[in-house]
Every structure is written in structure tokens, then in C-alpha cells.
Amino acid sequence: MSKIIFIDVDGTLVSYDNVLPDSAVEAIRAARKNGHKVYICTGRSRAEVYQNIWDIGLDGMIGGNGSYVESDGKVIMHQVISLDEAKHIVDWLHSRKLEFYLEANAGLFASENFETRGEPVMQEYSARKGKSEIKTVREAFPEMIFGEKNLYRDDLNKVSFILESYQDYLDAVKEFPDLKVGTWGGAGETALFGDIGVKNITKAHAIEVLLKYLGADKKDTIAFGDAKIDIPMLEYCEIGVAVASGGDEIKAMADIVTDAVEDDGIYNAFKKLNLI
């Protein structure tokens, strides 16, 4: 019986230094050759899915933590922040002197001083993941667009901004009650970034939309993840797999815990599940 496989990207498919293991590529290609479908299911917008990931061979993607669904090159769903809301976000962040970047399918657009202010933040983010290879913003985001004059856009999946304090996040929650405000890069008050996106979207809901489009059954689904935001999709899918390098919360609820990204976690799980 063919399966539909959903794989988170950062921390699951690739390491937090953007290293894609050859074994993961081999596993996905072999699984698709065996008739299984493979989708990435990520917080990244489409512009952040670089060519080396598409070159693996994929059936499509879920992006923006569930705001975007694509299958075989066709857009199935795309929920974006309205232009009025986008203007409100940009103006509010500017008023607080918070640096940010806009996440759209057309690209990642940095605020005026994001490259400079973001450098130590991305270094800290990398260090917290047990790595130190990322030294600059351009290494972290190789295709980010700098110097964009018009930051008012009508195609935004979400906006990430550097937290100068945890209060910035708390104030954003109050400022944008009709949007989904979260944090990343650390738990609670240790978070490095806030983010603002479309409300009431999850990776699980996006998977449900895709399955309906494909005429597929949930009992044939397998999800791979490493972080708290991946828990809904692991709960929704028939089998949920967490990587050993992931958080304790997702490992506790997963059906299977596979090895870390660097230790061939995807390949080993595919073998265990008889996908290859």
C-alpha cells in the first residue's frame, strides 16, 4: 500500500546548519520509486525552499506552517496576510525599531537593518542548536533580498521579527488579535524571534486539505518532525515520527523516535517503516 509522507525541513530533513544528508536524499528517491508520495511540510515559505531540496524529487510542499499547499506544481491553497494587515505590521515594527523580514513566496525581504542586527541573533540561534557554522545572515538565508524599498506587500505568508525583549512578543499578541503571533528560536522568554501569520492555520489542517484534493486516506499518512509546532501533524497522521535531536515534548508523543538528522534519521526510519 502506497503511503503519503510529510517531512518537516529544519531540524528534520536538514540540520540547523542547512546540511542535507545524502542518506535522506537516497531514502526519499527510493520511496518515491516504490510508489510513495513525499511532501515537505515546513514553516518555510516557498522562496526558502532552495533548489537542492527540490532536486531531491518531491511531490509538493506545505509551507508557511500550513498556509500554503502545492502538489505536482499546482497551488491547492494559499492563505495570505491582507495588505492592510501587512501595512499595520510593518508600521508597528518600524515604530518599535524592531528589525524583521517578510516571508512571501516571491522571496524573503529584509528590513533596513536586519542584516546587521540579525547577525549576532543568527549566531546565537546556531549555537543553541549545538552548531557554530552560521556566522552571517547571508549564510543563514542565502537568497534573502536586501534593500527592498517597498515593504508593503499583499502576498505575505508571515513576518518574522527580532525580539529585543519578550515584551515585544506580548505586545504583538495584543496589537494583532486577528493574526497568529508566535515565537521561535527558543522556549518562552529565551525566544529570539517573534512571528506573525494567518490565524487558525496548522500543518495538520493543510494536510487535511491536501488529502481531500488527492482523494487519499489519512490511514496512509506518515509525518516526520522535531519541534512543538510539528505535534499537530504527528497527531493527525496515522504514524508520527520524531527525530532524536528534536524536543522532548514531540518525542514523548511520537509513535516512533528515529535517529538525529546527522545520524541518518530519515533513512533509518524509512527502512524501519518498509518504505524502502
Side-chain angles (χ1 to χ4, degrees), residues 10 52 59 72 74 85 94 134 138 142 145 151 165 193 197-198 200 211 215 228 235 242 249 256 259 272:
D10 297 290
N52 69 315
D59 291 281
D72 293 320
K74 180 179 179 181
E85 289 169 330
H94 276 147
I134 291 178
R138 290 177 188 261
I145 299 165
L151 294 174
S165 73
F193 287 89
V198 180
N200 299 322
L211 293 180
K228 187 175 181 179
E235 290 176 334
E249 193 171 351
I256 298 170
D259 300 295
K272 184 173 184 177

Side-chain angles (χ1 to χ4, degrees), residues 91-100 117 162 164:
D91 290 345
W92 186 79
L93 292 170
H94 276 147
S95 74
R96 295 179 69 102
K97 295 182 168 55
L98 296 175
E99 298 302 324
F100 59 91
R117 178 66 188 92
I162 296 171
E164 297 298 341

Side-chain angles (χ1 to χ4, degrees), residues 11-12 224-226 241-247 250-251 257-261 265-266:
T12 305
F224 289 76
D226 77 305
V241 184
V243 295
S245 47
I250 193 169
K251 288 188 287 186
V257 178
T258 189
D259 300 295
V261 180
I266 295 294

Side-chain angles (χ1 to χ4, degrees), residues 20-166:
L20 172 62
D22 290 340
S23 63
V25 177
E26 179 185 345
I28 291 171
R29 288 175 176 170
R32 294 185 74 230
K33 190 174 182 179
N34 287 341
H36 306 296
K37 290 183 177 292
V38 180
Y39 294 83
I40 53 172
C41 193
T42 175
R44 297 189 188 195
S45 296
R46 200 186 193 287
E48 290 179 272
V49 181
Y50 305 124
Q51 194 58 45
N52 69 315
I53 294 178
W54 286 115
D55 287 344
I56 298 169
L58 298 168
D59 291 281
M61 70 171 287
I62 290 169
N65 285 328
S67 65
Y68 178 77
V69 182
E70 175 183 323
S71 184
D72 293 320
K74 180 179 179 181
V75 177
I76 309 305
M77 180 183 77
H78 192 192
Q79 296 176 271
V80 297
I81 297 170
S82 73
L83 180 58
D84 286 344
E85 289 169 330
K87 290 178 178 178
H88 182 189
I89 293 167
V90 169
D91 290 345
W92 186 79
L93 292 170
H94 276 147
S95 74
R96 295 179 69 102
K97 295 182 168 55
L98 296 175
E99 298 302 324
F100 59 91
Y101 63 93
L102 309 177
E103 304 183 39
N105 283 1
L108 302 184
F109 300 87
S111 63
E112 293 82 349
N113 301 305
F114 181 79
E115 183 171 11
T116 302
R117 178 66 188 92
E119 185 170 298
V121 180
M122 293 313 303
Q123 290 172 356
E124 173 64 19
Y125 178 71
S126 181
R128 288 183 183 184
K129 297 296 180 181
K131 307 293 181 180
S132 58
E133 284 83 351
I134 291 178
K135 302 294 185 185
T136 69
V137 167
R138 290 177 188 261
E139 286 177 335
F141 303 105
E143 296 186 20
M144 183 170 274
I145 299 165
F146 299 93
E148 175 64 32
K149 299 301 183 184
N150 181 19
L151 294 174
Y152 295 152
R153 300 189 61 89
D154 62 1
D155 60 348
L156 297 185
N157 299 314
K158 56 180 178 150
V159 180
S160 286
F161 61 98
I162 296 171
L163 294 173
E164 297 298 341
S165 73
Y166 192 66

Side-chain angles (χ1 to χ4, degrees), residues 182-196:
T183 62
W184 59 277
E189 295 191 12
T190 69
L192 297 172
F193 287 89
D195 61 17
I196 305 170

